[in-house]
Amino acid sequence: MSTTHEVQNQAPPLTGFSTADDAALLEAVRRDGGGWGEDEIRALGARAGSAEVRDWARMAEASPPVLHTHDRYGHRVDEVEFHPAWHQLMAAAVESGQHAAAWARDRPGAHLVRAAKFYAWAQAEPGHGCPVSMTYAAVPALRAQPDLAAAYEPLLAAAVYDSAPRPPLAKRGLIAGMSMTEKQGGSDVRANTTAAVPAVDGSYLITGHKWFTSAPMSDVFLILAQAPEGLTCFLLPRVLPDGTRNAMRLMRLKDKLGNRSNASAEIEYEQAVAWPVGEPGRGVRTIVEMVNMTRLDCVLGSAAGMRAGLRQALHHTAHRRAFGARLIDQPLMRSVLADLAVESEAATVLGLRLAAALDRAEAGDAAESALRRLALAAGKYWVCKRGSAHAAEALECLGGNGYVEESGMPRLYREAPLLSIWEGSGNVAALDVLRALAKEPAALDAFFAEVDAAAGADARLDAAVARVRKLLGELSDPARAQALARRLAEQLTLVLQGSLLVRHSPPAVADAFCASRLGGDWGHAFGTLPPGTDLSPVLERALPEASR
Ligand SMILES: Cc1cc2nc3c(=O)[nH]c(=O)nc-3n(C[C@H](O)[C@H](O)[C@H](O)COP(=O)(O)OP(=O)(O)OC[C@H]3O[C@@H](n4cnc5c(N)ncnc54)[C@H](O)[C@@H]3O)c2cc1C
């Protein structure tokens, strides 16, 4: 066979790395009391970067789940068939304790270590992070009903992935989902119409629909339905205690932009059995405990996506030459890469700081709880919003190769907007910042106490904090406050990120962030860091082996 040419100047495959080789990650874990988990995080990171797991990710996305409504004889089965690679990803995630195990681990830093693992593992494949995250998130909501929590929590926390459709309490480990969104009511869940009618045994019969229910093969779901007392949270099992299927019909699966390894179903309940969780009529208050946890994972997932994109961009540009030099050595490309690295680190430190605040809040620290309330709402808005722009720019660093599926970049690009949409789309997250300010006055004090820990260290940060205080003074008129909500959420996040970077990251990273994001010396696209920014230490920190 004749060959037409020798393949040259293409980057080698990117495998055999560790997603835990990430200075910002490990420093944050050690700083906030999670150092005891470092070995576990490193082991998981090495697995996430292995050729085997990267192959699972590829296969799980290339062979999306298939819905089987009926068996060959016409019986209703409502089963979704996943590629074996999906189950392998799920099993690895559960066995490493990224699901509800942190709630059972009575050790300071348990949520931080779990967050670090979620971040490291999500870089392998983001789709299965959805059920893993919901299983983690279900616990605090379920605790509103102590008898159910006593029975289900140990199984949600068990390090066993058991995908068989059996009665939940007969299984060795459980996965949880969440069903809130209906056709006429998404962000506005109070418009839900699904009805819950009390039965004599204390259960309720649920009739109605849900427009989005991801991971519909979960064992149990926290759902919202209208009980006689008002909107109420329920625990709905997929299989009933007697082994029969609950009357939860899967109508079809969504054909989604991304998140393709995961299934998201439209479902209908025909008198499905469920048990109330928390006070009847206070369903939103109950389920919001779950939503707050999944929101944290949206921030961590966005940070993970940025880190994964950055790694690919650094790897490619370190191996690709154009116009006589490596791309990574060309001044304009260095500016793009460093800008992406700064954004990535800012997202990482914020996500992990929020996880540390959760640890301390769980231990009874009211100020950390208040900080988390406001900073999570703002961070969900801004970090998730930045994810899409970051993914697009990282993809472009690979040129045409980045636009091709085999690179893995399209998967990152498609996933990014989802993290901004679900668990509170941009506007809803920004409005939640206003709600936090109105309902929890202590949140602002806690927020400024955190930000002001860096007061005096950087004049641009100090000036930005003063601007935020001024903006807060303009919120007295509710309509004006709403119109300013995005601006406020963005600026709150930026000053918090700036403060964290100034205190904890190398001066070059903090300086690039403060000069561009806070000092105003920045364009609208990535790659517009101020002239004179010291790029080398930023790139060296992001991926030492690439910058050599
Ligand atoms: C892939 C995928 C999986 C999902 N999985 C689940 C799941 O498992 N369970 C579940 O319950 N839901 C799920 N969802 C639903 C998701 O949570 C909702 O789509 C999301 O919360 C937005 O609600 P909505 O679609 O009804 O949009 P809407 O509420 O109609 O919002 C549309 C737009 O209006 C904006 N908006 C809303 N209210 C206001 C306001 N007051 N002022 C200004 N702007 C406003 C929003 O920010 C958004 O931009 C999933 C969605 C997707 C895409």
Side-chain angles (χ1 to χ4, degrees):
M1 198 168 83
S2 67
T3 50
T4 58
H5 65 287
E6 191 184 334
V7 177
Q8 290 178 343
N9 198 23
Q10 291 280 349
L14 178 54
T15 53
F17 60 91
S18 170
T19 59
D21 277 344
D22 179 337
L25 167 75
L26 296 177
E27 288 166 12
V29 166
R30 290 175 201 142
R31 183 163 65 234
D32 277 318
W36 54 266
E38 190 170 326
D39 288 346
E40 292 176 26
I41 296 163
R42 282 183 180 279
L44 192 67
R47 213 165 168 211
S50 70
E52 180 187 35
V53 171
R54 294 178 71 74
D55 239 21
W56 292 350
R58 182 185 56 73
M59 290 187 287
E61 202 200 28
S63 308
V66 177
L67 171 62
H68 301 289
T69 53
H70 296 79
D71 70 10
R72 59 191 289 209
Y73 304 106
H75 304 114
R76 191 99 209 190
V77 289
D78 298 289
E79 284 288 338
V80 180
E81 186 181 357
F82 289 86
H83 190 276
W86 164 270
H87 294 297
Q88 284 165 309
L89 288 163
M90 285 294 295
V94 168
E95 284 158 16
S96 66
Q98 294 171 58
H99 62 324
W103 299 105
R105 211 163 184 175
D106 192 16
R107 187 163 189 181
H111 291 283
L112 174 62
V113 169
R114 181 264 163 196
K117 288 181 182 175
F118 186 79
Y119 166 89
W121 187 248
Q123 292 175 48
E125 200 284 320
H128 76 291
C130 165
V132 171
S133 173
M134 291 194 291
T135 306
Y136 171 62
V139 169
L142 197 57
R143 285 182 177 175
Q145 193 66 38
D147 54 330
L148 290 179
Y152 288 87
E153 196 177 316
L155 294 169
L156 293 166
V160 180
Y161 175 61
D162 174 359
S163 63
R166 284 205 303 274
L169 296 181
K171 295 185 67 168
R172 294 180 302 138
L174 299 179
I175 297 296
M178 169 167 59
S179 301
M180 295 197 297
T181 311
E182 298 186 4
K183 289 171 184 161
Q184 75 293 339
S187 311
D188 185 7
V189 290
R190 288 175 200 279
N192 282 9
T193 58
T194 294
V197 177
V200 285
D201 64 354
S203 68
Y204 283 64
L205 295 178
I206 311 290
T207 302
H209 81 282
K210 294 293 166 186
W211 184 227
F212 281 92
T213 289
S214 291
M217 292 296 94
S218 299
D219 299 293
V220 291
F221 301 85
L222 288 187
I223 75 156
L224 286 178
Q226 299 284 1
E229 298 87 349
L231 201 57
T232 301
C233 180
F234 292 92
L235 181 75
L236 186 143
R238 187 157 67 92
V239 179
L240 292 170
D242 66 4
T244 57
R245 303 289 168 103
N246 207 353
M248 174 185 143
R249 312 290 181 221
L250 306 191
M251 309 310 287
R252 52 174 186 161
L253 299 185
K254 303 284 192 187
D255 182 9
K256 297 175 288 185
L257 167 67
N259 196 250
R260 300 184 74 86
S261 63
N262 185 18
S264 299
E266 295 168 16
I267 64 177
E268 294 191 0
Y269 309 115
E270 296 172 14
Q271 301 213 314
V273 175
W275 301 285
V277 178
E279 204 183 324
R282 308 297 296 270
V284 176
R285 176 173 285 216
T286 302
I287 210 163
V288 88
E289 296 294 329
M290 180 173 188
V291 174
N292 278 334
M293 294 302 145
T294 49
R295 282 181 180 165
L296 171 61
D297 283 357
C298 289
V299 175
L300 292 166
S302 295
M306 289 185 201
R307 178 71 191 163
L310 173 67
R311 177 181 291 280
Q312 292 266 9
L314 288 166
H315 174 77
H316 181 87
T317 54
H319 290 93
R320 175 84 168 170
R321 297 176 72 83
F323 304 100
R326 294 193 310 164
L327 287 171
I328 199 171
D329 294 329
Q330 310 217 11
L332 185 51
M333 182 58 93
R334 290 176 74 73
S335 178
V336 173
L337 293 167
D339 212 354
L340 291 172
V342 166
E343 192 72 30
S344 166
E345 179 153 351
T348 301
V349 294
L350 178 64
L352 294 170
R353 178 65 185 88
L354 292 170
L358 170 60
D359 270 317
R360 295 187 193 123
E362 284 296 304
D365 186 329
E368 287 286 296
S369 174
L371 167 68
R372 182 173 149 261
R373 173 69 187 93
L374 180 59
L376 178 57
K380 163 71 172 81
Y381 168 74
W382 182 241
V383 174
C384 297
K385 190 118 325 257
R386 294 295 288 160
S388 293
H390 195 282
E393 196 65 59
L395 181 154
E396 192 172 321
C397 290
L398 277 71
N401 284 358
Y403 201 70
V404 173
E405 290 289 342
E406 285 167 315
S407 72
M409 300 306 278
R411 188 191 317 138
L412 288 179
Y413 182 72
R414 287 192 292 263
E415 192 73 14
L418 179 56
L419 294 162
S420 189
I421 290 172
W422 62 10
E423 312 306 337
S425 307
N427 286 355
V428 172
L431 292 173
D432 193 39
V433 169
L434 299 183
R435 198 170 305 111
L437 290 172
K439 297 221 160 146
E440 202 161 337
L444 205 53
D445 292 338
F447 183 86
F448 280 120
E450 176 72 13
V451 169
D452 287 344
D458 187 292
R460 296 156 301 191
L461 175 59
D462 291 343
V465 173
R467 285 197 300 276
V468 172
R469 288 186 189 276
K470 183 164 175 292
L471 189 57
L472 285 162
E474 296 174 29
L475 303 180
S476 50
D477 170 26
R480 183 168 162 72
Q482 284 207 19
L484 290 174
R486 276 190 178 224
R487 182 178 284 245
L488 180 64
E490 175 178 327
Q491 292 192 13
L492 285 169
T493 311
L494 287 173
V495 295
L496 180 53
Q497 289 179 318
S499 170
L500 290 168
L501 293 177
V502 163
R503 280 179 284 152
H504 306 307
S505 294
V509 176
D511 180 61
F513 184 91
C514 291
S516 54
R517 277 75 170 165
L518 302 179
D521 193 357
W522 200 35
H524 291 290
F526 282 102
T528 53
L529 289 170
T533 303
D534 193 2
L535 304 178
S536 294
V538 178
L539 294 172
E540 174 70 22
R541 175 171 171 83
L543 194 59
E545 67 269 23
S547 52
R548 276 195 284 275

